[in-house]
Amino acid sequence: MRTTRRTFVRASLATAAAALLPISLHAQEGSPARRPIPSTREAMPIVGLGTWITFNVGGDPVLRDECADVMAAFFEAGGRMIDSSPMYGSSQPVVGYGLQKLGRPSTLFSAEKVWTSSATAGPTQIEQSRRFWGVPKFDLVQVHNLLAWKAHLQTLFQMKAAGAVRYAGITTSEGRRHDLLEQIMRNEPIDFVQFSYNVVDREAEQRLLPLASERGIAVIINRPFRQGALTHRLKGEPLPEWAIELGVSSWAQLVLKFILSHPAVTIAIPATTRVDHVRENLAAAAGPMPDLAMRERISAYVQAL
Ligand SMILES: NC(=O)c1ccc[n+]([C@@H]2O[C@H](COP(=O)([O-])OP(=O)(O)OC[C@H]3O[C@@H](n4cnc5c(N)ncnc54)[C@H](OP(=O)(O)O)[C@@H]3O)[C@@H](O)[C@H]2O)c1
């Protein structure tokens, strides 16, 4: 039989799935499913919370409280990972405000970034971020958008060795610099990698996702809704009847399940300003997940709309 790109990708996915599926994606009733961080086997609920734009609300007390409400609903629904960056305006102090207001939830998994072109300014920036959050140390610090990555990764590896951070990682988004990211994934002992992947942007299936499985690197997916453009576009369309099999009640849940069911994905981090949306997103991490055939069906359906 001739091996087309599609059959090759399917076969690779099937192999990866066979390797990973013993870890159950079916969570206890209502609580989000978990996947292990490969480097430690620490179990991570598979939906987290992004903060870019949505938490950049400055000093407005009403909006800060709304963000704290989103965080409260997130923790209540079993979420752990919150992702931020010095690039996200006031998001870091807003996360810190929410954590303080909620009595510092012990289940928090703090995911931050270092984002400066100066090789030497990394440690000072990370310390400033830590103060904004008000945490003793970050669980994960990632080099944001590969900026000055060599120097910052060395800083993160040293911090990890000294017990000042638990995990080291690196990020990109919107398909940028995947060749360099791939090289880094092959050569550096990173715990996490973060990039964009969703039902319409599937390039990561070719090399990054299989490589992450092969190298035992945890994968964080950013822009699951294309910064809201995808959910906005699908809003007026009826959900296909067959989506009921997956127990979803919205497009957001269907396209999240597409991402979460890829065996190499550890966690997706949708951002939201709304309590009902954060609950809906966490609920997508529970219940049945699409198999390979259903994943293709979802993708084909959305592409055709
Ligand atoms: N290079 C990097 O490291 C990098 C780059 C990009 C993003 N990120 C991280 O990834 C996170 C997520 O990406 P993103 O913020 O670009 O966009 P996203 O999560 O793809 O989309 C966010 C948008 O989706 C909407 N939304 C969320 N839940 C929804 C639901 N259930 N139903 C309908 N709409 C929903 C939100 O609107 P509502 O407020 O109305 O819910 C918001 O406008 C970021 O916040 C950031 O933490 C990292």
Side-chain angles (χ1 to χ4, degrees), residues 97-141:
Y97 171 77
L99 291 175
Q100 187 181 27
K101 190 171 175 193
L102 301 177
R104 310 217 159 273
S106 60
T107 50
L108 168 72
F109 185 102
S110 50
E112 250 303 332
K113 308 201 186 79
V114 53
W115 181 65
T116 167
S117 54
S118 158
T120 51
T124 313
Q125 187 183 67
I126 295 167
E127 175 55 17
Q128 176 62 60
S129 301
R130 190 194 65 74
R131 286 184 193 181
F132 280 137
W133 282 62
V135 292
K137 67 179 178 186
F138 287 118
D139 291 299
L140 165 65
V141 179

Side-chain angles (χ1 to χ4, degrees), residues 142-164:
Q142 308 151 94
V143 180
H144 197 155
N145 283 349
L146 289 83
L147 188 62
W149 66 271
K150 271 191 190 154
H152 295 324
L153 272 188
Q154 286 322 306
T155 300
L156 296 184
F157 295 148
Q158 281 163 16
M159 286 178 72
K160 196 179 151 185

